[in-house]
Amino acid sequence: MIRAIRRRLSVVVDRQTSERGLSLAELLVSMTVFGFLLAMTGGFLVNASRANITNRAIDATNRTAANSMDEVTRVLRGASTNVVAGQSLPDPAFVQATDNAITVYSYVNLASSSVAPIRVQFFVDATTKNLVERTWTASLSNGFYTFPSVLTCTTSCTSRILGTPVVLPAAGGPKIFTYLDSTGAAIPTVVGAVAIPQVSNVAAVTVSLQFGASSSANQSTLLTNTVGLPNLNVARTN
């Protein structure tokens, strides 16, 4: 009998204990731990998202710089003089040779089955900071190739944007084009351009393209390449 009563009391006590629930202190501790874990998880997700955005921006900038450099290099390596009717000497390969713009005759017209030169201009739009490529096709007359006298993109001209945004020298970026003579020395520019008598002495061009939000290394990509000009037959000693 006594044993039965004791068993009955034990069941009642255990039931009351199991239905007691959480105390206020336990609830506060649980909420604090949960909030701490939530803050850690949220911070991790935010940092991971920012890192992903940064990596994607860096990858896009790297691709833009590489593709732009490939195109500029391809055109410059095909730079050639242009024979003109009635002239004893051909026109120099470079129509324009400035710090941030270059116009050149080149034999890289892959869109045509005939062997003909094109005239190509690379320049940076100071407003949009776009690196722009303009291409003119030649007109054949009496065995000579001619081009429009102006450098505006109107007749026989196409234009496209190679990449953006370019970090200009005014914002801390490098000169885009540096012109080298046969010894590898930089040809001085006058008001930002190679003097006309010096244009025929250009044996190579150093191209520096920097793309990004600023000139800082962690917000931009800088590629530099010195391009030889084999078609010009200028003997280089360096």
Side-chain angles (χ1 to χ4, degrees), residues 37-175:
L37 294 175
L38 184 62
M40 289 182 59
T41 304
F44 172 78
L45 292 176
V46 170
N47 291 334
S49 177
R50 289 177 179 174
N52 182 54
I53 293 173
T54 300
N55 290 337
R56 291 177 61 182
I58 292 174
D59 180 68
T61 302
N62 290 343
R63 290 175 182 271
T64 297
N67 292 338
S68 299
M69 181 63 78
D70 286 345
E71 175 62 11
V72 175
T73 298
R74 183 181 73 91
V75 170
L76 289 182
R77 284 194 61 81
S80 304
T81 57
N82 186 49
V83 180
V84 179
Q87 292 184 190
S88 58
L89 295 175
D91 281 345
F94 295 95
V95 181
Q96 177 189 35
T98 70
D99 292 340
N100 298 318
I102 191 169
T103 306
V104 62
Y105 298 115
S106 183
Y107 277 85
V108 291
N109 192 1
L110 302 179
S112 175
S113 58
S114 62
V115 179
I118 56 175
R119 188 174 71 187
V120 184
Q121 180 186 50
F122 298 103
F123 71 96
V124 178
D125 187 307
T127 302
T128 61
K129 300 180 182 179
N130 296 334
L131 176 62
V132 181
E133 178 188 48
R134 288 177 175 170
T135 303
W136 291 265
T137 57
S139 298
L140 182 61
S141 177
N142 298 323
F144 296 93
Y145 293 103
T146 60
F147 296 88
S149 58
V150 296
L151 294 182
T152 54
C153 199
T154 54
T155 306
S156 303
C157 176
T158 58
S159 180
R160 64 170 176 159
I161 297 173
L162 293 182
T164 191
V166 177
V167 182
L168 293 169
K175 291 194 303 183

